[in-house]
């Protein structure tokens, strides 16, 4: 059995092409139990996500979790599903299209394609499509502002697995993080200020990040520190004092100790202690998804109001906003430096001549 995939057709003299691969976590194909079983099976089988001995974990995963959790998760997805599909997939596709447009307006001649670490469109499939289109340089942009082995590194793993099966590799670059990028912080701050202009400023701004087992911090994962830095920089940009904002962590799984403070228990405690108005933002997500739209905008809100709070507002992710897209374009542009992505008028004319010559040759 051949080790490498067949190479796509190559025409000598073809102009080199550049692409940006915008990668997000992933999504099921539908809000149904079978679709969630496939998705969760892939997601929770990644050793970057669950660091438990494989044999033990597979018994738990297939013996318990995939028998119970898919139906529950499907019901939650159904509450946020959009007419076009999963919110994360819809928004990531919009971001990719807009990013290509933003970069194109700046003179960059390249492709931007979305891909998912789990589910579709798969990273390997998208890379194969880019190779077939003649792409020879790929900038991999994981949509994770804060680096974690469970997210950013897992994307790099998947690209590397594809590379092991590819004979003629494109040049590859990876963006590992942008948690303290000035454009990212400014875009977040602008989104918060815009919300406050419409709704007034709350007593407390909660910045909730996806949780991770606490042991990952002690093992050297920088995620916790980068979340705290993002929170501090955003608070400084907004002119908040230390008692006006709080960084928390959501989405615990299992019985192990996770990064603290936990979002929902903290909201309940603060509401019971007299906090009446809170705004919550999730700066660790480039696009809204089940976790932000259901766990935060629905469940966390309900928990706060049940415990005595009066006003809870969720501030959406940057998504496909102009500020968010400009930030991603700036980020990509910096990492594209040195690659000839700009076409001069002379280069465009030569390319047109080459295409005409190829067309004449084809007729002959």
């Amino acid at each position: 059995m051949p080790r490498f995939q067949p190479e796509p057709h190559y025409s000598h003299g073809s102009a080199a092409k550049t692409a940006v691969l915008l990668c997000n976590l992933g999504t099921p194909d539908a809000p149904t139990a079978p679709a969630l079983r496939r998705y969760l099976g892939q997601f929770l089988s990644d050793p970057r996500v669950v660091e438990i001995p494989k044999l033990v974990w597979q018994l738990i995963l297939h013996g318990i979790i995939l028998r119970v959790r898919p139906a529950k998760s499907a019901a939650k997805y159904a509450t946020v599903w959009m007419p076009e599909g999963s919110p994360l997939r819809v928004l990531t596709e919009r971001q990719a299209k807009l990013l290509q447009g933003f970069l194109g307006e700046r003179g960059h001649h390249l492709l931007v394609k979305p891909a998912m670490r789990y589910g579709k469109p798969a990273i390997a499939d998208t890379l194969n499509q880019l190779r077939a289109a003649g792409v020879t340089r790929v900038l991999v942009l994981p949509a994770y502002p804060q680096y974690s082995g469970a997210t950013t590194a897992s994307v790099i793993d998947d690209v590397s697995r594809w590379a092991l099966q590819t004979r003629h590799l494109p040049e590859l670059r990876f963006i590992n993080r942008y948690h303290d990028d000035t454009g990212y912080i400014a875009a977040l701050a602008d989104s918060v200020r815009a919300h406050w202009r419409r709704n007034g400023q709350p007593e407390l701004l909660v910045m909730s990040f996806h949780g991770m087992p606490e042991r990952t911090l002690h093992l050297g994962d920088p995620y916790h520190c980068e979340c705290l830095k993002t929170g501090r920089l955003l608070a400084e940009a907004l002119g908040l004092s230390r008692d006006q904002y709080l960084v928390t962590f959501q989405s615990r799984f299992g019985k192990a100790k996770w990064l603290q403070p936990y979002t929902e228990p903290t909201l309940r405690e603060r509401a019971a202690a007299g906090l009446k108005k809170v705004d919550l933002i999730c700066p660790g997500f480039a696009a809204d998804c089940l976790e932000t739209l259901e766990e935060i905008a629905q469940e966390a809100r309900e928990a706060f109001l049940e415990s005595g709070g009066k006003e809870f507002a969720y501030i959406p992710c940057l998504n496909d906003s102009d500020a968010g897209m400009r930030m991603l374009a700036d980020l990509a542009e910096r990492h594209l430096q040195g690659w000839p992505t700009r076409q001069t008028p002379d280069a465009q004319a030569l390319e047109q001549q080459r295409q005409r010559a190829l067309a004449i040759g084809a007729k002959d």
Side-chain angles (χ1 to χ4, degrees), residues 153-268:
S154 185
V155 167
I156 297 172
D157 287 347
D158 213 31
V159 174
S160 300
R161 274 189 289 271
W162 172 83
L164 288 171
Q165 300 176 346
T166 304
R167 184 181 301 276
H168 188 183
L169 286 170
E171 292 181 63
L172 292 167
R173 290 181 183 175
F174 297 90
I175 298 178
N176 276 20
R177 53 175 56 80
Y178 56 97
H179 68 291
D180 57 356
D181 178 80
T182 54
Y184 161 65
I185 299 298
L188 288 174
D190 285 347
S191 72
V192 174
R193 291 192 196 98
H195 176 82
W196 288 350
R197 284 194 295 271
R198 295 189 299 268
N199 304 283
Q201 190 166 335
E203 299 166 70
L204 182 70
L205 176 65
V206 175
M207 307 174 195
S208 184
F209 295 83
H210 179 79
M212 290 293 295
E214 188 183 271
R215 67 187 296 268
T216 60
L217 169 63
H218 303 305
L219 290 171
D221 196 299
Y223 176 74
H224 179 259
C225 298
E226 294 186 3
C227 290
L228 294 183
K229 186 172 185 181
T230 296
R232 175 175 60 78
L233 292 175
L234 178 54
E236 290 175 358
L238 293 168
L240 298 180
S241 61
R242 190 64 192 87
D243 62 347
Q244 290 179 300
Y245 79 97
L246 184 64
V247 172
T248 63
F249 297 88
Q250 65 206 50
S251 299
R252 287 175 291 159
F253 180 75
K255 297 180 179 180
K257 188 177 182 182
W258 283 49
L259 298 176
Q260 296 188 46
Y262 302 139
T263 299
E264 185 173 314
T266 299
L267 288 171
R268 288 187 180 278

